[in-house]
Amino acid sequence: MKTQLFLIGIGGTGMRCLEAFVHTCAMGMYDNCEINMLALDTDLDNGNFSRLKSLVDDCYQKVKGYNKEHYPLSETLFSAKINFSTFTPDYSDAVKNGSFETITNYAYADETKKALAGVLLTPAVREFDLKHGYRAQTHLGSLLMYHSIIDEAHKNPHGKLAQYIQSIYDAAETGDARVFVMGSVFGGTGASSIPVIPKAFNAAINILTPGKTLGKACFGATLLSAYFKFTPPDDSLRSRQKVVATSKNFALNSQVAMMFYNEDKTVRTTYQKFYMLGTPNNDFETKSNSCETVTGGALQKNDSHYIELLAASAAYDFFNTSQKELETMRTEHQDVKYYYRTVNDNGRIDFKDFTPAEKTQEFAKKFAALTVLSYLVYPDFNDFAAAAQSGMLAKNNISGYEDILPQEVSGLKKYFELYNFGIDNEGNLTDGWLRQLHRSAGGLDNFLFNPALFGVSNIKELKKYEYNKKLFRDNEDDITPAKFSVGLFGSPFNSFKDEFVKQADNTSITYKIEKLVKRMYDTVNALYKF
């Protein structure tokens, strides 16, 4: 029986969790898998969504083959096939910038319903612009998101959301369909949507295919509590925006949300697994290009946090749960099971914090291999992929990659810029996803790899960085120590080229760009003796 995987990220936090998940796919943690990914947000103009979309469309998909049919692979990087969809509720039928007040006036003639809304919702809540999300107004958001999904099924039965929900139904009828939802419980869109997704999707499939349900699908979700803060809104912003979320209330919001999840029978029986994630405090401050509170839009591009990788790891655990266990929970209508993950009190983040014990070695080595390739692709002076594609390495007995498309090489390069570091016009390194995770853990040697990896700040230092022997922390107990020698006058890059020649192309892989990535991956494994 084939298992099909469905992943949904909701709201700003959900976008960053999807981002972390895509990086685990790039590590090769989902061999021979097809991932059906849905980004669901009221504000798909926000910067975190833009970054996610670029990561998937401009990078991952191009590495799988530019304008080509993609296939799942195994024992390589970028092995999973990702199908990427989006959905954002459309409130434009009522007014250009929809509010709950205008939507209810537009949708209902029933004065009783209007009056009820007036009692339950303050004037400010009824009137604020919905374009930037629900702003921690979960009672409003759940109602609107549920009906937005239902309305979409009615109005656009052949749209992307309808196709996504239909694919869940088809997969559940013919195999093992698993749906995992990622988002926060302390904010607006994620907190509003997680409780209603199974029920709304179930109602939607009945609209699309009358009489049908998603009763055979299994659902899991992360419940991310408060883990960051941002610039508090001033009086001027409050006056203009009417309703603005404030991070000082996130901890209280989280507590109230947890009480709801624990008490609501519908939520407890529609989900099979909940993964509780949080940090001891929410002192991590997100970077912003604005000096004021950002409610949404392009300026909402928050840095990534290691807890989002923990959320991606929760998805990995759910997707690898035995079919029998999930089916028993679903068919017997058992209450949802809660799972918790803790890390060391000293703040040190280890590989074992992200995976079951039997998977720690595999996770560490795949993570490390992907990281090493970032030093072999992104910097122009070490861009092995571009050199192979251009024929510059023919003198090193490396050839046959000249027909790789330039878009595929640029996609690979762009991926590693987003993954680890970029280089600005002054030659300084900018922080990609991995370096942002290191900062979120407190810096120093708190996060997984050798701190020297994160201490490089410019091109000059980058050229001197010895990733051949400064990859893992010296006292890392959970993985096999890995390093390789380069000789007195050698370099890691030259050693890589020499070892690359000894490896062979995988004849079962169709596209040259994937052949190149696979051979580079095998070369790294051989050098480090993974």
Side-chain angles (χ1 to χ4, degrees):
M1 181 179 289
K2 182 179 180 181
T3 300
Q4 295 202 45
L5 311 181
F6 297 86
L7 187 70
I8 304 171
I10 309 176
T13 297
M15 298 305 106
R16 295 191 298 278
C17 290
L18 288 181
E19 185 180 6
F21 185 90
V22 172
H23 288 305
T24 64
C25 291
M27 294 172 200
M29 294 299 291
Y30 289 88
D31 284 352
N32 294 316
C33 286
E34 185 169 345
I35 313 293
N36 301 287
M37 188 178 294
L38 175 67
L40 192 160
D41 201 350
T42 58
D43 178 21
L44 291 185
D45 292 328
N46 77 75
N48 284 125
F49 171 75
S50 298
R51 191 171 67 194
L52 168 67
K53 190 174 189 303
S54 179
L55 178 67
V56 177
D57 291 343
D58 299 333
C59 303
Y60 194 99
Q61 305 293 36
K62 289 182 179 178
V63 177
K64 295 291 290 179
Y66 179 65
N67 280 345
K68 299 171 182 174
E69 176 67 24
H70 297 163
Y71 303 98
L73 301 173
S74 63
E75 296 300 321
T76 186
L77 304 176
F78 305 93
S79 57
K81 176 183 177 182
I82 296 178
N83 303 314
F84 186 62
S85 301
T86 64
F87 172 68
T88 184
D90 182 9
Y91 301 125
S92 61
D93 281 346
V95 288
K96 184 176 180 180
N97 291 317
S99 69
F100 185 76
E101 188 81 53
T102 54
I103 288 172
T104 53
N105 287 338
Y106 174 84
Y108 301 117
D110 189 334
E111 293 298 325
T112 301
K113 293 180 180 179
K114 292 180 186 179
L116 180 61
V119 172
L120 298 177
L121 304 169
T122 66
V125 170
R126 296 200 303 271
E127 295 171 7
F128 77 84
D129 181 2
L130 292 166
K131 186 177 181 182
H132 286 178
Y134 303 133
R135 308 191 192 186
Q137 305 299 311
T138 53
H139 54 307
L140 171 66
S142 290
L143 173 66
L144 290 177
M145 182 58 75
Y146 178 87
H147 285 287
S148 293
I149 293 170
I150 301 305
D151 287 346
E152 181 70 7
H154 279 296
K155 297 176 182 177
N156 198 6
H158 302 292
K160 290 183 178 180
L161 180 64
Q163 291 176 14
Y164 190 87
I165 296 172
Q166 184 68 52
S167 65
I168 295 175
Y169 171 78
D170 293 341
E173 291 300 304
T174 59
D176 176 16
R178 304 182 184 198
V179 185
F180 196 78
V181 186
M182 298 196 291
S184 72
V185 298
F186 56 84
T189 307
S192 301
S193 305
I194 292 176
V196 302
I197 285 294
K199 189 173 181 179
F201 277 23
N202 199 56
I205 194 63
N206 188 50
I207 295 168
L208 297 170
T209 310
K212 305 300 183 182
T213 72
L214 296 180
K216 295 182 180 179
C218 296
F219 287 84
T222 58
L223 302 182
L224 270 74
S225 63
Y227 68 94
F228 66 85
K229 64 180 180 180
F230 50 77
T231 304
D234 58 23
D235 292 340
S236 174
L237 183 65
R238 286 181 181 275
S239 176
R240 298 195 313 271
Q241 296 287 349
K242 305 294 184 184
V243 176
V244 184
T246 57
S247 53
K248 71 177 183 179
N249 294 327
F250 281 175
L252 179 60
N253 292 353
S254 298
Q255 293 177 35
V256 174
M258 296 311 173
M259 292 172 62
F260 169 78
Y261 281 100
N262 191 56
E263 297 298 328
D264 188 83
K265 183 177 180 179
T266 300
V267 173
R268 294 203 319 262
T269 55
T270 53
Y271 281 96
Q272 278 67 60
K273 286 190 175 185
F274 276 149
Y275 294 81
M276 301 286 296
L277 300 171
T279 57
N281 54 60
N282 63 334
D283 289 340
F284 177 73
E285 187 160 7
T286 60
K287 290 183 179 180
S288 173
N289 295 326
S290 174
C291 60
E292 69 173 25
T293 302
V294 177
T295 60
L299 290 178
Q300 186 185 336
K301 188 179 286 186
N302 299 327
D303 279 356
S304 297
H305 192 285
Y306 71 82
I307 197 173
E308 294 144 13
L309 180 57
L310 281 170
S313 299
Y316 180 82
D317 182 82
F318 179 75
F319 289 147
N320 283 277
T321 302
S322 74
Q323 179 186 342
K324 182 178 180 180
E325 178 183 349
L326 289 178
E327 282 192 349
T328 299
M329 297 174 67
R330 175 177 55 80
T331 57
E332 296 182 3
H333 304 289
Q334 296 180 5
D335 274 1
V336 64
K337 286 188 177 179
Y338 286 83
Y339 293 82
Y340 305 86
R341 172 64 71 189
T342 59
V343 296
N344 292 334
D345 292 337
N346 61 12
R348 178 185 167 104
I349 309 299
D350 299 313
F351 288 104
K352 65 183 179 181
D353 295 324
F354 296 91
T355 58
E358 66 273 14
K359 291 288 186 178
T360 298
Q361 288 269 347
E362 176 189 357
F363 175 65
K365 292 174 181 179
K366 288 178 180 289
F367 205 156
L370 184 68
T371 301
V372 170
L373 255 67
S374 68
Y375 295 95
L376 295 162
V377 170
Y378 180 72
D380 289 335
F381 54 85
N382 271 2
D383 193 345
F384 181 87
Q389 188 265 343
S390 67
M392 291 177 57
L393 296 179
K395 60 184 179 182
N396 301 97
N397 295 319
I398 299 171
S399 60
Y401 302 103
E402 293 79 8
D403 54 345
I404 292 176
L405 296 176
Q407 295 94 329
E408 294 169 345
V409 173
S410 65
L412 186 64
K413 185 171 182 175
K414 175 67 174 177
Y415 171 79
F416 284 114
E417 180 182 354
L418 292 175
Y419 170 73
N420 194 352
F421 59 85
I423 301 174
D424 64 20
N425 293 332
E426 297 179 355
N428 296 316
L429 270 61
T430 59
D431 288 351
W433 175 78
L434 180 61
R435 291 165 72 94
Q436 290 171 22
L437 263 58
H438 172 255
R439 185 173 74 86
S440 74
L444 303 175
D445 68 343
N446 285 340
F447 185 73
L448 301 182
F449 293 102
N450 193 308
L453 184 152
F454 304 105
V456 177
S457 61
N458 54 55
I459 289 181
K460 183 178 179 180
E461 295 173 354
L462 182 63
K463 290 180 177 180
K464 295 180 180 179
Y465 176 57
E466 298 175 304
Y467 57 82
N468 59 304
K469 59 181 181 181
K470 294 181 179 178
L471 183 58
F472 293 121
R473 295 179 290 198
D474 292 336
N475 57 345
E476 188 62 66
D477 298 325
D478 299 307
I479 54 174
T480 303
K483 59 183 65 178
F484 64 90
S485 175
V486 299
L488 184 60
F489 299 104
S491 69
F493 187 70
N494 287 333
S495 295
F496 178 85
K497 288 189 292 186
D498 293 341
E499 183 61 38
F500 184 89
V501 175
K502 300 176 185 177
Q503 304 299 316
D505 271 339
N506 189 300
T507 57
S508 65
I509 297 177
T510 302
Y511 303 139
K512 281 290 182 69
I513 181 63
E514 292 186 305
K515 284 181 181 287
L516 177 62
V517 169
K518 165 63 173 170
R519 192 169 172 182
M520 293 176 72
Y521 174 69
D522 290 343
T523 301
V524 169
N525 287 335
L527 284 171
Y528 288 97
K529 296 181 173 56
F530 284 160

